[in-house]
Amino acid sequence: MYISINKAAEILKGGGIVAIPTETVYGLAGNAFDETAVAKIFAAKERPFFDPLIVHIAEFGEIEELVAEIPKNAKILAEKFWPGPLTLVLPKKDKVPNLTTGGLSTVAVRMPKKQIARDIIKLAGFPLAAPSANMFQHLSPTSAEHVFEQLGGRIDGIVDGGACEVGIESTVIGFENETPIIYRPGGVAMEMIGHPVSFAATPLKEGNLISPGLLEKHYSPNTPLCLELPNEIPPNSGLLAFGKLPENSSRFAKILNLSENGNPIEAAVNLYGMLHKLDSCKLSKIFATLLPKAGLGNAINDRLLKARGTA
Ligand code: AMP
Ligand code: MG
């Protein structure tokens, strides 16, 4: 199941699907131009076909094959944040299968920072469609073991590249004319973007889902997650803390702290791993509190709200 990058490239060239490490989370990769490979990704994850995939490239020039037109501001953002945790949604070329883009006329593109990910793309020789390597709506994987737990028997191999340095999915940005719009908060904090950007107010545009990552339930552990701390803590509860522990913390059966000194970057790195850990402890409930709304706090809060099930 665990394979080298050369073996991964060989499998990808043969139309197979493999999990690869990136700096955000592990991705389940296949040839973005091969509808059969892309269909295998959807099937393995049990992901609905309307939820489009992000296409990963190794060099900026590869965007030409995918994208019909690049708005000026998209280019500026790519220059500033690529390689890195930023995904740009741009008008697609006909060559990109509709299956890859969930039937949309746009394609989401990202150049990952993790060297192994770019090496695999280069060895394969084509861009890789790669959503997170987890079952649809479940917790995203930040280690090869997480991938194995959820997808072990369903995919052709896993490349173990160690832990993910960012730990949270990419920021997804689309454009209305030249105005960048954040479809999903992520690894690049809004404050870092420095452009006039706005959050997509609603996932719907003319009745259609503009960015399915805005679905209300996503990233969920199996154990129910609550985002308010009650005065009476129910028995066998777990706490996903951030910074200073609450006064009643001794009541929890298990506590993990995203960042003892309240650092949201450290919290992003720990988020999914700690949720996986708490989820495996057979707790009756997991409690967590939202982070201050700054920097990566916004992206972490987005994941916690969706993990709870009602954003
Ligand atoms: P994941 O691969 O699980 O990180 O999810 C990728 C997310 O990127 C999707 O759920 C969408 O929210 C977003 N996305 C991908 N392609 C597009 C697109 N063409 N238009 C809008 N959003 C997109
Ligand atoms: Mg995902």
Side-chain angles (χ1 to χ4, degrees):
M1 182 65 13
Y2 292 106
I3 55 173
S4 69
I5 62 171
N6 287 306
K7 181 73 188 165
E10 192 187 312
I11 293 172
L12 290 163
K13 283 183 193 161
I17 55 171
V18 293
I20 64 166
T22 82
E23 76 279 16
T24 57
V25 302
Y26 275 68
L28 178 56
N31 181 351
F33 293 128
D34 176 353
E35 279 193 307
T36 312
V38 172
K40 286 182 193 168
I41 295 174
F42 280 99
K45 281 180 61 89
E46 295 180 14
R47 178 172 171 124
F49 288 118
F50 64 75
D51 195 355
L53 308 182
I54 294 173
V55 178
H56 295 71
I57 57 176
E59 306 268 354
F60 188 78
E62 293 164 29
I63 202 169
E64 305 270 318
E65 277 191 288
L66 299 163
V67 166
E69 181 199 314
I70 309 176
K72 201 170 94 237
N73 279 338
K75 202 152 186 206
I76 292 171
L77 289 175
E79 272 162 14
K80 193 162 171 192
F81 295 108
W82 280 2
L86 177 76
T87 296
L88 299 172
V89 174
L90 302 167
K92 84 173 185 74
K93 279 200 167 151
D94 289 346
K95 189 180 168 194
V96 181
N98 288 326
L99 199 55
T100 305
T101 65
L104 297 170
S105 58
T106 48
V107 58
V109 188
R110 179 167 103 82
M111 191 197 297
K113 187 160 197 164
K114 193 143 179 127
Q115 188 64 47
I116 309 180
R118 293 209 306 277
D119 289 346
I120 296 169
I121 300 167
K122 277 192 196 145
L123 286 168
F126 40 73
L128 296 179
S132 50
N134 53 274
M135 297 298 287
F136 180 61
Q137 292 188 326
H138 285 266
L139 278 176
S140 301
T142 50
S143 72
E145 293 76 29
H146 293 161
V147 178
F148 183 78
E149 282 163 23
Q150 287 194 45
L151 296 178
R154 295 172 161 256
I155 61 179
D156 300 317
I158 301 171
V159 177
D160 186 351
C164 301
E165 293 78 3
V166 175
I168 198 159
E169 289 85 349
S170 57
T171 303
V172 179
I173 292 191
F175 296 85
E176 261 171 36
N177 302 315
E178 278 290 341
T179 310
I181 298 181
I182 298 188
Y183 291 160
R184 174 177 75 181
V188 172
M190 187 157 165
E191 297 91 325
M192 284 167 68
I193 292 168
H195 271 264
V197 283
S198 55
F199 275 103
T202 154
L204 293 177
K205 187 181 171 190
E206 290 151 18
N208 293 316
L209 215 49
I210 52 168
S211 186
L214 301 171
L215 286 170
E216 288 196 347
K217 181 175 174 348
H218 222 120
Y219 318 111
S220 299
N222 295 314
T223 316
L225 179 72
C226 304
L227 298 179
E228 274 123 48
L229 287 185
N231 292 329
E232 270 308 304
I233 306 299
N236 196 31
S237 294
L239 175 66
L240 183 67
F242 176 73
K244 200 169 159 277
L245 295 180
E247 272 168 19
N248 56 3
S249 61
S250 60
R251 293 263 143 82
F252 289 95
K254 175 92 186 162
I255 300 176
L256 294 177
N257 201 332
L258 288 171
S259 169
E260 278 173 21
N261 46 28
N263 176 351
I265 297 175
E266 187 187 7
V269 172
N270 287 331
L271 177 70
Y272 289 120
M274 290 188 171
L275 280 170
H276 275 281
K277 204 30 155 319
L278 290 170
D279 205 20
S280 69
C281 287
K282 299 202 163 51
L283 298 161
S284 55
K285 270 190 174 144
I286 301 170
F287 288 89
T289 45
L290 294 175
L291 273 65
K293 291 182 193 142
L296 291 189
N298 288 312
I300 295 169
N301 290 346
D302 170 75
R303 304 304 186 274
L304 287 172
L305 286 162
K306 287 174 182 163
R308 181 187 63 175
T310 42

